């Protein structure tokens, strides 16, 4: 990721004239929209905690012991990420709970929005939300200060158990092919809420907001690949 | 733990005469009642999975972000034990889900029985059930074949996060002292169901059943210490 697009944290507030080239404005990159370190870490840590909860709920509702075990293992991956982020916060002299707290309402509401009507929808929610948001946070995290950026990248690039979740969903579709169209629709609905949450993490002025759309293109492509892997047209 | 009380797996079915000394019969030890290796591992592994679920449910219902994080960490300890037991089963050529399956109804029913009416009761349930049963399984596991016995002891002696759960319950009682008497009653009720589950794990004939009571004495003492640590008379 080239560093030369990186914008200084305090920007000069030059009055903008209407003749400004729209192409320049379109150049906004995720690393320019990275929140302050504490805000980033608080949101990233609470998101992992929210994933733990929803994965554990999926484990509880799993129809087989084997699926239950797989989900406990996937939840352990999110717990490990959460702990690593909390450790990083503590090393920096912060209190993990204090940094997470301001983001609880937004992230809990997001989790409610992506809660499915059955176990398979919940699996797809976890797959899509964790897949998209972990990747998003890795990109956004590149805008943090050097040392923290490296730690965050290492933590959030750890496996999410995506392949395990995919296998559970695929097995369900094999047994009941009618699931496919419902889950495809569900996946399409999820990505909207997920992008809105991602967007809410970014620090943007009005210009950024007008031009942020393209930065999601790559992430949506990854989402589409995930849905394709399930044979679900996203 | 002396080995000379250890009973051969296949017992001679000698007809018993009424003159048998009751003192001899009272000599029953937990290691004499150890189930077959697969049965032991299946039950131990599914119990851990059940603990994961109930801890995760507690995490979901936690009133603070800090408590949520603590509970996710405690759940991770149970997940680690569950994985280690599943790995052991797989190394022995078994299928973890297949070995756990026969015990799902009994253990799920137990989890329902010990489900509290609020978050604090659920915390105490986890504390009492995991504390009692992990210790029980360590004792019973000493009756397994040498190599497996060692592995099982190492896995199940790992921390259960008891101190963390105790701290959460204590903090609740400090804030609301009226909680204490309700939780004391709840703890007393729990230990009955927990002992019944423990008892169902043992392989016993009629004589053993008549004389198994004393083997629980030590485990009840440990339970009492746990409740005392909370200032709750067990």
């Amino acid at each position: 990721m080239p560093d030369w697009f990186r914008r200084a944290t305090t920007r000069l507030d030059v009055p903008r004239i209407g003749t400004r080239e729209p192409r320049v404005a379109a150049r906004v990159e995720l690393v320019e929209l990275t929140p302050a370190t504490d805000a980033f870490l608080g949101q990233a840590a609470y998101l992992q905690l929210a994933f733990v909860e929803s994965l554990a709920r999926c484990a509880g509702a799993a129809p087989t012991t084997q699926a239950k075990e797989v989900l406990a293992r996937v939840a352990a991956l999110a717990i490990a990420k959460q702990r690593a982020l909390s450790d990083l916060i503590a090393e920096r002299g912060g209190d993990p709970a204090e940094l997470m707290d301001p983001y609880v309402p937004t992230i809990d509401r997001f989790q409610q929005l992506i809660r499915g009507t059955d176990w398979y929808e919940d699996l797809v929610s976890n797959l899509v939300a964790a897949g998209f948001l972990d990747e998003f946070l890795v990109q956004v995290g590149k805008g943090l200060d050097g040392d923290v950026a490296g730690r965050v990248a290492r933590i959030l690039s750890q496996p999410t158990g995506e392949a395990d979740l995919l296998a559970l969903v695929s097995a369900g579709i094999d047994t009941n092919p009618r699931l496919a169209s419902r889950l495809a629709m569900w996946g399409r609905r999820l990505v909207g809420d997920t992008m809105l949450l991602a967007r809410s993490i970014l620090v943007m002025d009005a210009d950024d907001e007008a031009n942020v759309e393209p930065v999601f293109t790559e992430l949506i492509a990854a989402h589409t690949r995930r849905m394709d892997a399930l044979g679900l047209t996203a």
Side-chain angles (χ1 to χ4, degrees), chain A:
Chain A
M1 172 85 27
D3 238 20
W4 48 83
F5 292 128
R6 183 86 200 287
R7 192 185 281 170
T9 317
T10 47
R11 296 208 250 170
L12 290 179
D13 212 357
V14 184
R16 294 190 176 167
I17 319 292
T19 55
R20 191 184 176 211
E21 293 254 53
R23 220 185 321 144
V24 174
R27 263 278 152 86
V28 63
E29 299 277 338
L30 277 179
V31 289
E32 302 173 57
L33 310 175
T34 303
T37 306
D38 280 357
F40 180 93
L41 293 176
Q43 290 177 91
Y46 193 69
L47 255 180
Q48 296 303 323
L49 208 44
F51 292 151
V52 174
E53 271 185 62
S54 64
L55 286 165
R57 202 177 50 237
C58 279
T64 67
T65 312
Q66 186 256 341
K68 214 179 266 273
E69 208 204 357
V70 168
L71 283 160
R73 221 168 342 146
V74 175
L77 300 174
I79 293 174
K81 288 185 188 186
Q82 201 281 330
R83 288 184 65 177
L85 289 166
S86 282
D87 288 348
L88 177 55
I89 291 170
E91 278 173 41
R92 292 172 39 83
D95 174 42
E98 215 171 88
L99 293 199
M100 289 190 273
D101 273 342
Y103 308 104
V104 170
T106 307
I107 293 173
D108 280 359
R109 198 175 146 271
F110 168 67
Q111 285 291 344
Q112 269 163 26
L113 284 172
I114 67 164
R115 189 151 176 180
T117 57
D118 72 357
W119 186 68
Y120 285 104
E121 286 187 4
D122 274 340
L123 277 186
V124 172
S125 296
N126 275 293
L127 191 57
V128 168
F132 191 100
L133 292 169
D134 277 5
E135 205 170 319
F136 171 78
L137 289 172
V138 167
Q139 300 302 327
V140 176
K142 289 178 180 166
L144 295 167
D145 288 337
D147 193 35
V148 181
R151 286 280 292 278
V152 162
R154 274 194 298 281
I155 295 168
L156 292 176
S157 308
Q158 295 300 309
T160 51
E162 191 171 305
D164 287 323
L165 297 183
L166 273 173
L168 291 177
V169 178
S170 288
I173 292 174
D174 285 350
T175 312
N176 176 11
R178 292 196 319 173
L179 257 182
S181 75
R182 178 156 61 86
L183 295 181
M185 280 181 60
W186 180 244
R188 207 174 298 135
R189 176 193 170 297
L190 284 175
V191 78
D193 287 319
T194 307
M195 284 210 298
L196 282 172
L197 182 76
R199 201 187 150 107
S200 78
I201 292 172
L202 302 174
V203 174
M204 296 191 283
D205 64 15
D207 267 338
D208 294 332
E209 287 197 11
N211 295 293
V212 74
E213 207 62 30
V215 304
F216 285 106
T217 312
E218 204 183 309
L219 290 160
I220 292 172
H223 163 72
T224 306
R225 277 195 301 278
R226 266 188 293 275
M227 296 303 274
D228 282 349
L230 289 169
L232 305 179
T233 316

